């Protein structure tokens, strides 16, 4: 059987980390290791890890980091598993069989280097499930529901394409631009319940701007991206109005939340 490392980064959010750890512990197939990368300034996470009984697969490192990308890279470097999953503190596995189902994909097809699936989240004030197969020719659309919290990635991939670059928000999109040619499979399964209090959600317009910077660094100026981002900005502003929320509820009833 292939081995799997789950990596969770955290910063001064003990309750979120505890919820994520409980989600990992409920899995039918536990990870071979669950690494906690704790960059907190407060001592409560370190104290909880060190003074509360933890499963044998849980490991941790308590030291300051230089931000999200640096914390991700620390976890990937430490991971011993053949497959990695980055499950941020506050995010949860959607069901007890997620790790088992995803590892079956890698074990049945050694050619697969990374996978993505579906994500449960709040959009327009409504609970929705989103997820689409990755298509390289649509990278100008940003993440496009190929959402990083659902990715399982063979560790060897990072040896070929490198780790996360030090962007403030769009480090996952930058990675997707570099992972685009690796053999991939979409899994039509809800993988993760997303904590939407993170910076990619609360600073959405900044995320769009950084996404454009990343895309242009690889592919140059793109009119399709400019027009697509204009659409996304319009929808973002609309969803923050009563009318927009009402229209989204109608869209959801028609099954269009993933359009």
């Amino acid at each position: 059987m292939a081995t799997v490392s789950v990596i969770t980064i955290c910063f001064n959010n003990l309750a979120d980390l505890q919820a994520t750890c409980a989600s990992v512990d409920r899995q039918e197939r536990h990870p071979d290791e669950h690494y906690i990368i704790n960059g907190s300034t407060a001592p409560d996470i370190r104290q909880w890890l060190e003074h509360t009984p933890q499963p044998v697969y849980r490991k941790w490192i308590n030291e300051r980091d230089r931000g999200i990308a640096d914390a991700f890279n620390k976890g990937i470097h430490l991971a011993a598993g053949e497959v990695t999953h980055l499950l941020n503190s506050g995010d949860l596995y959607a069901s007890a069989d997620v790790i088992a189902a995803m590892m079956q994909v890698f074990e049945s097809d050694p050619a697969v280097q990374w996978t993505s699936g579906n994500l449960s989240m709040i959009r327009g004030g409504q609970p929705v499930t989103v997820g689409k197969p990755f298509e390289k020719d649509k990278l100008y659309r940003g993440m496009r529901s190929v959402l990083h919290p659902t990715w399982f990635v063979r560790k060897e991939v990072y040896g070929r394409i490198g780790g996360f670059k030090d962007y403030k928000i769009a480090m996952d999109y930058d990675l997707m631009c570099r992972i685009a040619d690796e053999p991939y499979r979409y899994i039509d399964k809800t993988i993760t319940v997303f904590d939407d209090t993170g910076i990619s959600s609360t600073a959405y317009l900044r995320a769009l701007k950084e996404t454009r910077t990343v895309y242009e660094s690889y592919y140059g100026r793109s009119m399709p991206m400019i027009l697509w981002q204009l659409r996304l900005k319009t929808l973002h502003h609309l969803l923050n109005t009563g009318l927009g929320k009402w229209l989204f509820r109608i869209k959801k009833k028609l099954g269009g939340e993933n359009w």
Side-chain angles (χ1 to χ4, degrees):
M1 296 174 67
T3 54
V4 56
S5 297
V6 175
I7 299 162
T8 299
I9 67 171
C10 57
F11 182 77
N12 292 344
N13 57 342
L14 175 59
D16 289 341
L17 175 63
Q18 289 172 327
T20 299
C21 288
S23 169
V24 173
D25 297 343
R26 286 192 295 269
Q27 290 294 293
E28 296 168 359
R29 174 174 174 176
H30 291 137
D32 295 273
E33 57 182 13
H34 179 204
Y35 246 114
I36 311 298
I37 310 301
N38 174 31
S40 300
T41 55
D44 53 348
I45 289 178
R46 176 182 56 79
Q47 291 171 352
W48 178 72
L49 289 169
E50 293 178 350
H51 300 296
T52 305
Q54 301 291 343
V56 66
Y57 50 79
R58 185 154 294 131
K59 305 175 182 180
W60 55 85
I61 180 172
N62 299 304
E63 64 180 31
R64 295 298 303 275
D65 52 59
R66 298 189 303 274
I68 295 173
D70 183 43
F72 280 156
N73 288 335
K74 281 185 181 182
I76 292 165
H77 175 73
L78 290 168
E82 298 165 66
V83 177
T84 62
H85 182 225
L86 299 175
L87 184 72
N88 290 340
S89 53
D91 291 349
L92 311 173
Y93 283 122
S95 59
D97 66 339
V98 169
I99 291 179
M102 301 307 290
M103 293 307 295
Q104 185 177 29
V105 174
F106 287 96
E107 289 163 354
S108 63
D109 188 351
V112 172
Q113 299 298 297
W114 69 291
T115 64
S116 71
N118 302 331
L119 184 81
S120 176
M121 62 185 299
I122 301 296
R123 179 176 287 173
Q126 298 290 309
V128 298
T129 298
V130 295
K132 291 183 178 180
F134 172 71
E135 297 175 80
K136 184 179 178 180
D137 62 355
K138 293 183 179 177
L139 273 170
Y140 71 89
R141 296 188 180 187
M143 297 303 291
R144 195 185 149 270
S145 294
V146 186
L147 299 164
H148 183 246
T150 74
W151 298 8
F152 279 65
V153 182
R154 290 193 190 272
K155 183 176 177 179
E156 66 186 62
V157 171
Y158 296 106
R160 290 193 291 270
I161 69 170
F164 287 84
K165 295 184 180 179
D166 195 23
Y167 289 101
K168 296 298 183 184
I169 306 175
M171 71 281 293
D172 52 356
Y173 176 71
D174 173 79
L175 187 72
M176 189 163 72
C177 288
R178 288 181 284 126
I179 207 172
D181 292 321
E182 296 285 338
Y184 160 84
R185 186 182 297 181
Y186 166 70
I187 311 301
D188 189 9
K189 177 179 177 62
T190 304
I191 306 300
T192 310
V193 179
F194 180 59
D195 173 18
D196 63 355
T197 60
I199 190 170
S200 62
S201 300
T202 59
Y204 181 73
L205 296 179
R206 283 174 54 198
L208 286 181
K209 183 177 181 181
E210 195 167 271
T211 295
R212 180 174 170 182
T213 298
V214 170
Y215 183 87
E216 291 180 349
S217 73
Y218 293 108
Y219 301 104
R221 183 178 171 85
S222 166
M223 185 55 65
M225 169 166 262
I226 292 171
L227 294 174
W228 183 258
Q229 289 211 341
L230 178 61
R231 172 185 181 272
L232 293 180
K233 290 174 185 177
T234 302
L235 290 174
H236 173 72
H237 290 304
L238 182 61
L239 278 174
N240 286 312
T241 68
L243 174 61
K245 288 181 172 63
W246 179 78
L247 290 172
F248 188 78
R249 287 196 295 270
I250 299 299
K251 183 179 181 181
K252 184 183 175 185
K253 288 181 180 178
L254 295 173
E257 64 266 31
N258 204 31
W259 294 348

